[in-house]
Amino acid sequence: MLKLSLKLLQYGRQFFRRLYNKGQIFNKKTDTEYKGKLTKEEGVQILIQEKEKLRELQEKLYADGSKSLLVVLQAMDAAGKDSLIEHVFGGVNPQGCNVMSFKTPSSKEYAHDFLWRHYLALPQKGMIGIFNRSHYESVLVCKVHPEYNLSEKTWDSVKDFDKEFWDNRYESIRNFEKHLAQNGTTIIKIFLHVSKDEQKKRLLDRINEQEKNWKFSAADLPERALFDEYMNCYETAINETSKDEAPWYVIPADNKWFARLSAIQIIIDTLEKMDLQFPQLSKEDKAGLDEAKKQLESE
């Protein structure tokens, strides 16, 4: 295990970057493919071992009960968000983990501000919350399709969505995440960076493999045609909102096994830095345990 972990540190971590808002830190031309020496077979072995470590840390987070962890996942279609959730979090206790997938807002959600529904889905203390897509859709899909914002009924025309409008959205997101961080929620934001060629391959797999047909949506193709426009939006959003209290991690996602391994390592590192503690019993509580033990053993 030690040998494999050292190989991950040496060859793997250079390919996922912790980003901070200090100029143009994420470039859409960043590598989407892992090119290190770690093999897929080694990576799969490490992932199995790391899942056990994640399970132990999640139990500690739940027992500590004073903090929560929010994992935000963003990516283009077919980048592997769903399978990453399955393979990374498959071993944790379901009682301590919530997954929220955000679809098109409902009429009720549109009747509130764009962050409202995300507040409702935040993890309570002791829990891990996973946002499969998130509040960032408001500066991604809604920036590519600005007419969607008209459903909020606050704006009169797409002409209202100028630079000031988007700057205000980024500021709202930064303030939202800063507020969460100041009140006990640690935030990890992961962008699975997949290439257009790899996306094409995976979409074709969904068509060619019958058991994957249900995953394919014809609506994916018009969005794929806007791939470059989405990359521009991701580049801006990440560089505008990556802060110490809410960092972005860009993971090359053309190799699913490496994306999963990188994600679990980021999550484990973050949980280890949270200084989680199992509750300490008072002298009175310990005395009560001793008495309970005596009663049970005397039955």
Side-chain angles (χ1 to χ4, degrees):
M1 179 177 177
L2 178 60
K3 182 179 179 182
L4 293 178
S5 295
L6 287 175
K7 289 186 72 173
L8 173 61
L9 289 170
Q10 185 176 358
Y11 301 119
R13 288 189 177 180
Q14 61 181 306
F15 287 93
F16 62 81
R17 303 170 55 203
R18 184 170 183 169
L19 303 178
Y20 294 99
N21 190 22
K22 296 177 181 176
Q24 297 298 313
I25 15 183
F26 170 55
N27 188 302
K28 60 187 177 183
K29 295 180 181 179
T30 301
D31 261 339
T32 60
E33 184 179 3
Y34 171 66
K35 298 175 181 177
K37 297 182 181 180
L38 191 73
T39 67
K40 180 178 179 179
E41 291 72 23
E42 291 169 335
V44 170
Q45 291 180 52
I46 297 173
L47 182 63
I48 293 171
Q49 296 164 346
E50 296 293 76
K51 285 173 73 172
E52 177 59 27
K53 186 184 296 184
L54 178 59
R55 187 197 65 79
E56 293 170 358
L57 286 166
Q58 183 248 333
E59 181 181 5
K60 204 171 186 179
L61 174 71
Y62 189 82
D64 182 288
S66 66
K67 304 169 185 177
S68 59
L69 176 67
L70 175 62
V71 180
V72 173
L73 293 177
Q74 288 288 158
M76 294 295 290
D77 292 327
K81 297 190 308 302
D82 293 345
S83 62
L84 185 145
I85 292 171
E86 176 186 357
H87 286 271
V88 169
F89 293 97
V92 303
N93 187 335
Q95 293 186 98
C97 186
N98 290 324
V99 180
M100 185 66 184
S101 296
F102 291 99
K103 308 296 184 183
T104 302
S106 66
S107 58
K108 180 178 181 179
E109 290 167 340
Y110 270 132
H112 295 268
D113 70 271
F114 79 99
L115 289 171
W116 179 75
R117 64 175 181 159
H118 304 288
Y119 269 109
L120 298 180
L122 289 171
Q124 66 189 57
K125 289 181 173 62
M127 301 286 287
I128 296 176
I130 304 160
F131 281 5
N132 186 351
R133 300 190 186 276
S134 68
H135 44 292
Y136 280 91
E137 293 299 292
S138 293
V139 291
L140 296 169
V141 66
C142 291
K143 194 171 185 181
V144 174
H145 301 282
E147 66 276 12
Y148 291 176
N149 293 304
L150 296 175
S151 296
E152 295 180 16
K153 300 180 181 179
T154 304
W155 323 102
D156 298 322
S157 166
V158 292
K159 294 179 181 179
D160 293 328
F161 309 129
D162 55 9
K163 184 180 184 301
E164 183 181 7
F165 173 86
W166 297 112
D167 286 346
N168 287 337
R169 288 267 148 136
Y170 298 131
E171 183 179 13
S172 293
I173 289 172
R174 290 192 296 266
N175 290 338
F176 169 61
E177 293 174 347
K178 184 176 182 179
H179 172 75
L180 297 181
Q182 290 175 335
N183 288 275
T185 298
T186 297
I187 305 166
I188 297 171
K189 299 179 295 190
I190 293 174
F191 173 50
L192 299 180
H193 191 26
V194 71
S195 67
K196 193 173 183 179
D197 287 343
E198 180 62 21
Q199 186 196 52
K200 176 182 176 179
K201 176 181 176 295
R202 294 181 189 180
L203 291 174
L204 284 171
D205 286 344
R206 292 179 179 184
I207 295 172
N208 294 329
E209 299 177 33
Q210 186 173 355
E211 66 274 15
K212 294 183 179 180
N213 286 172
W214 65 274
K215 293 184 177 182
F216 182 79
S217 169
D220 293 340
L221 297 184
E223 294 301 284
R224 173 175 164 76
L226 300 168
F227 193 96
D228 292 339
E229 195 169 341
Y230 271 105
M231 286 299 101
N232 290 334
C233 291
Y234 269 110
E235 187 177 87
T236 303
I238 289 172
N239 292 332
E240 285 284 343
T241 62
S242 197
K243 293 288 188 178
D244 287 4
E245 67 271 9
W248 272 104
Y249 297 84
V250 177
I251 297 178
D254 283 1
N255 309 94
K256 285 187 176 181
W257 66 268
F258 180 75
R260 296 163 186 167
L261 185 57
S262 298
I264 199 169
Q265 190 64 62
I266 291 166
I267 294 164
I268 286 172
D269 287 351
T270 302
L271 284 167
E272 288 179 337
K273 292 174 183 176
M274 288 171 66
D275 192 27
L276 302 168
Q277 303 293 330
F278 285 109
Q280 296 295 312
L281 296 181
S282 65
K283 291 183 179 179
E284 292 77 10
D285 289 335
K286 288 181 179 179
L289 282 180
D290 291 338
E291 181 60 30
K293 180 180 179 180
K294 290 178 183 178
Q295 290 184 26
L296 287 168
E297 290 178 340
S298 66
E299 289 183 357

